[in-house]
Amino acid sequence: MEEQINILLLEDEQEENKLVKSYLKQAFQNSYRYDKVTSLITGTEKIRLQNYDLVLLDYSSTGPDGIDFVYHIVNELKIMIPIIFLSEENNREADLKAMEAGAQDFLLKQELTPYSFEMAIRYSLKHKKAEEHIQYLAYHDALTGLPNKNLLLDRLDRTLIRFSRTQRHSVLLFLDLDSFKIINDSLGHRVGDDLLIEVSKRLSSILSETDSVARPGGDEFIILLPEISKEKEEAALKAQQIADDIINALRRPIELGDHQLHIGISIGATLFSGKDTTCADTVLKHADTAMYAAKSSGRNTISFFQEEMEKSVKYKLALENDLRKAIPKKEFELYYQPQVCVNSGTILGAEALVRWIHPEKGLISPLDFIPSAEQSGLIHPLGALIFKTACEQIDSFKGIPRISVNISAKQFHAPNFVETIENITKETNVSPKQLELELTESTMLADIEETAVKMRQLKDMGFSFALDDFGTGYSSLTYLKRLPFDVLKIDRSFIANIMDDPEHAGIATAVIYLGKALNLHIVGEGVETEDHLDFLRRQGAHSAQGYYISRPIPADELITWMNQRLTA
Ligand code: C2E
Ligand code: CA
Ligand code: CA
């Protein structure tokens, strides 16, 4: 059965178009219906409110006003509807103007036959369908079917216009997946695409009808929660709740083929209301800025936009710029922090910790520039430089069995990581047996299989591995069992609290017990007091590292420190 065609007929009161109506009946029998109006104003209102397929407009009764009307509907209200003029007399000038204004056709009544009329209408409807399809493509993301950035900006604009009346607060969330690039690069685009589709499904499932989720591109999503509250605080609270829902929805691992993926998400939020004279672009920019803040405060978090944030983003960009120049100039120095046996005090290793000696700002902590190096991709040349420096200095550390180097997740997942590391050790003539690579749990999150393969390759060359900051992340036993780690480092936050927090002491004890059961060498980090050292010793940990033994010190001081220990 044919779908019913909804027609709006605009014509004069007196002059009934009997002929047109009889043609309609002949062509479409019962599969059409029409509303008749006699004024352009009511016509406009009806078109706005109802879903017509076609407008038939009698030129004789409207004259040039009819052409203005078409222009208004098509170009100003941007309603895509075919409009056909019907005219008593041949009027070439009006015909051209009508087409220019956006009319679909200009038909002469005397020339009409039932067949030509039907064809003109069918053609218009087909044209409308095609146009709608193109419109759909222009406003949607082909992969997930979600609205794209254009459509979202449109909706955002409309929300902003409505504000002048409602004064309610809306929220825009800007979402960015945490380790998507790693997954995409290491497992391929097919897996990446499937992951994005699954994420978009999970996002859509937790939102309500009035919210809209869009995918502007890449691994980003945008959610508009329009007019959720009169009170700013309540709006913020609701945004927080939805962010929590989103984070929880993504906590469940995503199964794709043989892969089980864990994906985190960083969420930036901005509140806006009619009181602010903002435009859609600014709102979007604020949410984006907040998202970057969420990124740098760790995975799976939400950050709200604040004015000061803009300043800190500028500072970050400047830092990244400086960092780019600092790498070829080698403005970095490695400090070393010894690790000693809890029982004998003999040195078992040292951890290399990078410092940036900035020409103007002086010494900068890795906590301040490693995240920015990771975000900008500069971690790859920087990581290689750090590793090479450690290899070049290793020769002067006779008597230290092993030097450990921190490897960031992003660096590890680079396709050429294994090759880079191997080449540097060959160039500097260092045996991999002297080197330990420290990884954090975030490295394993992207894909445990790929991590296992790379670790195996490096282990076969002689490198050993430490799992850093254990206890702060997912603390998953899976990693420990399935990946060939040699060393487990208990995060310093546990050691710091063992004396006054029984829960932390309990966790530390359990971790040591577990690590020993898995035959791992246990290092306690952040040992600041004799009590800390005692605790580790009693619980059966193997080594200790921390200010109580030594702060991180430059290479030459480490040599002096060792010599003093030996003669003491
Ligand atoms: P991390 O790997 O957990 O390194 C240990 C951090 O704890 C070091 O901070 C060290 O100075 C500090 N620390 C050592 N003993 C104590 C103590 O007794 N008490 C306290 N409160 N802190 C102690 P640092 O050097 O600022 O490094 C911070 C983080 O930066 C490192 O944490 C590591 O994640 C990252 N990092 C440092 N160097 C590198 C590097 O070369 N490459 C990469 N990718 N990351 C690095
Ligand atoms: Ca470390
Ligand atoms: Ca650590």
Side-chain angles (χ1 to χ4, degrees):
M1 209 188 94
E2 257 186 305
E3 271 174 61
Q4 173 152 298
I5 307 166
N6 277 313
I7 301 172
L8 182 70
L9 206 57
L10 251 157
E11 61 181 13
D12 218 304
E13 200 108 45
Q14 289 84 35
E15 236 173 291
E16 282 265 333
N17 282 304
K18 295 228 173 60
L19 189 71
V20 167
K21 281 169 199 161
S22 83
Y23 285 178
L24 275 177
K25 183 114 192 112
Q26 283 183 50
F28 302 104
Q29 279 102 42
N30 293 322
S31 58
Y32 79 103
R33 58 170 293 280
Y34 68 86
D35 292 332
K36 186 186 143 163
V37 288
T38 52
S39 102
L40 293 174
I41 297 175
T42 356
T44 311
E45 268 313 292
K46 284 209 149 242
I47 291 173
R48 283 173 66 136
L49 295 173
Q50 293 181 38
N51 216 354
Y52 290 109
D53 298 307
L54 176 72
V55 178
L56 292 175
L57 199 128
D58 193 87
Y59 186 71
S60 337
S61 50
T62 63
D65 285 350
I67 294 178
D68 291 343
F69 163 84
V70 172
Y71 185 85
H72 179 61
I73 299 286
V74 177
N75 296 288
E76 288 168 2
L77 297 179
K78 298 202 184 304
I79 299 175
M80 270 192 319
I81 181 158
I83 302 175
I84 297 178
F85 275 96
L86 299 165
S87 176
E88 288 301 343
E89 58 210 75
N90 204 339
N91 185 340
R92 196 174 141 72
E93 199 194 338
D95 184 345
L96 287 177
K97 277 195 177 145
M99 301 309 272
E100 211 172 291
Q104 184 73 53
D105 219 335
F106 196 93
L107 305 175
L108 270 183
K109 286 190 203 164
Q110 310 100 285
E111 288 177 1
L112 278 188
T113 64
Y115 180 69
S116 71
F117 190 46
E118 180 183 348
M119 280 304 111
I121 290 179
R122 289 208 188 278
Y123 174 78
S124 294
L125 295 176
K126 209 170 152 185
H127 196 88
K128 181 185 175 219
K129 272 230 164 75
E131 220 164 294
E132 276 171 350
H133 185 63
I134 291 170
Q135 193 83 354
Y136 178 86
L137 294 180
Y139 280 108
H140 290 84
D141 163 44
L143 179 69
T144 58
L146 292 178
N148 64 12
K149 191 170 177 174
N150 292 338
L151 183 52
L152 186 100
L153 283 175
D154 251 28
R155 287 188 185 161
L156 193 54
D157 268 332
R158 257 178 265 165
T159 312
L160 286 166
I161 291 166
R162 265 206 311 273
F163 272 168
S164 38
R165 287 190 279 126
T166 63
Q167 298 287 326
R168 292 173 72 87
H169 292 267
S170 299
V171 171
L172 193 76
L173 302 176
F174 202 109
L175 285 66
D176 188 289
L177 300 182
D178 280 335
S179 18
F180 180 74
K181 219 184 142 343
I182 295 172
I183 293 173
N184 211 32
D185 291 347
S186 57
L187 300 182
H189 295 244
R190 282 280 281 281
V191 176
D193 284 354
D194 288 347
L195 180 68
L196 289 171
I197 292 171
E198 176 61 22
V199 169
S200 75
K201 279 188 195 148
R202 291 193 187 180
L203 290 179
S204 305
S205 74
I206 53 172
L207 295 175
S208 73
E209 284 282 309
T210 49
D211 308 333
S212 35
V213 54
R215 176 174 173 246
D219 58 348
E220 293 170 350
F221 294 88
I222 298 175
I223 294 174
L224 173 64
L225 312 169
E227 304 175 82
I228 50 175
S229 169
K230 242 186 156 59
E231 306 302 324
K232 196 169 183 172
E233 287 69 28
E234 201 193 319
L237 213 66
K238 281 193 181 164
Q240 177 78 55
Q241 278 162 3
I242 290 182
D244 288 343
D245 289 349
I246 292 171
I247 291 169
N248 280 330
L250 294 183
R251 225 182 267 283
R252 243 182 318 124
I254 297 177
E255 315 258 356
L256 293 174
D258 298 338
H259 305 286
Q260 206 195 43
L261 305 170
H262 294 264
I263 193 109
I265 196 153
S266 301
I267 305 173
T270 188
L271 300 169
F272 55 103
S273 78
K275 292 192 196 88
D276 325 323
T277 40
T278 18
C279 67
D281 277 329
T282 312
V283 174
L284 201 61
K285 209 180 111 228
H286 286 176
D288 186 30
T289 305
M291 187 278 292
Y292 271 100
K295 267 257 133 120
S296 46
S297 63
R299 48 187 4 257
N300 277 337
T301 47
I302 177 174
S303 270
F304 284 88
F305 176 78
Q306 291 140 9
E307 294 301 326
E308 310 85 67
M309 217 181 244
E310 243 174 340
K311 284 186 215 139
S312 91
V313 167
K314 290 212 178 91
Y315 172 82
K316 265 204 190 136
L317 285 179
L319 192 80
E320 192 184 304
N321 235 339
D322 285 358
L323 192 59
R324 202 174 296 279
K325 294 182 212 138
I327 297 169
K329 289 198 210 146
K330 301 194 176 163
E331 288 172 0
F332 303 92
E333 186 171 349
L334 289 189
Y335 277 42
Y336 291 89
Q337 188 174 36
Q339 294 167 354
V340 299
C341 170
V342 288
N343 297 312
S344 65
T346 39
I347 186 161
L348 298 177
E351 176 179 5
L353 293 157
V354 67
R355 303 291 179 256
W356 178 6
I357 321 291
H358 192 286
E360 287 135 38
K361 300 193 176 101
L363 200 141
I364 304 182
S365 154
L367 295 173
D368 293 328
F369 66 88
I370 294 285
S372 146
E374 285 171 350
Q375 268 167 31
S376 58
L378 289 169
I379 193 69
H380 304 296
L382 178 62
L385 175 64
I386 291 169
F387 189 73
K388 185 158 184 218
T389 310
C391 286
E392 285 164 352
Q393 291 179 332
I394 223 165
D395 221 22
S396 56
F397 302 140
K398 297 226 162 50
I400 303 183
R402 243 185 357 235
I403 295 296
S404 19
V405 181
N406 291 285
I407 304 293
S408 95
K410 197 158 179 191
Q411 198 186 346
F412 183 85
H413 288 291
N416 61 352
F417 176 72
V418 174
E419 199 187 326
T420 308
I421 292 295
E422 189 182 17
N423 287 345
I424 294 173
T425 47
K426 279 187 180 149
E427 254 171 61
T428 50
N429 215 359
V430 168
S431 157
K433 288 212 167 56
Q434 295 171 272
L435 287 157
E436 181 171 278
L437 306 178
E438 289 196 6
L439 306 179
T440 58
E441 279 176 289
S442 62
T443 312
M444 288 86 229
L445 286 176
D447 184 9
I448 195 162
E449 297 308 330
E450 187 232 9
T451 308
V453 169
K454 279 194 172 173
M455 283 179 77
R456 269 275 151 243
Q457 288 173 336
L458 289 158
K459 280 218 57 137
D460 289 346
M461 293 174 204
F463 292 97
S464 54
F465 282 97
L467 182 53
D468 202 0
D469 304 342
F470 192 78
T472 55
Y474 282 66
S475 310
S476 162
L477 264 177
T478 324
Y479 308 137
L480 281 178
K481 279 202 207 129
R482 288 177 56 192
L483 299 172
F485 281 105
D486 306 276
V487 173
L488 186 63
K489 298 187 79 174
I490 305 169
D491 190 69
R492 62 175 182 272
S493 57
F494 294 106
I495 308 294
N497 294 320
I498 44 171
M499 290 306 143
D500 30 50
D501 185 342
E503 201 181 323
H504 274 93
I507 294 171
T509 308
V511 168
I512 294 171
Y513 174 81
L514 185 132
K516 284 175 70 175
L518 292 167
N519 255 329
L520 295 165
H521 182 98
I522 316 286
V523 180
E525 285 191 305
V527 174
E528 292 184 355
T529 62
E530 178 70 44
D531 285 343
H532 292 163
L533 188 60
D534 270 346
F535 174 84
L536 289 174
R537 200 181 287 133
R538 264 193 328 239
Q539 302 301 332
H542 305 96
S543 335
Q545 174 183 350
Y547 295 169
Y548 182 66
I549 296 128
S550 163
R551 289 191 170 251
I553 44 182
D556 50 348
E557 283 181 40
L558 179 67
I559 297 165
T560 323
W561 183 88
M562 273 200 317
N563 290 340
Q564 275 168 357
R565 279 224 148 189
L566 288 177
T567 50

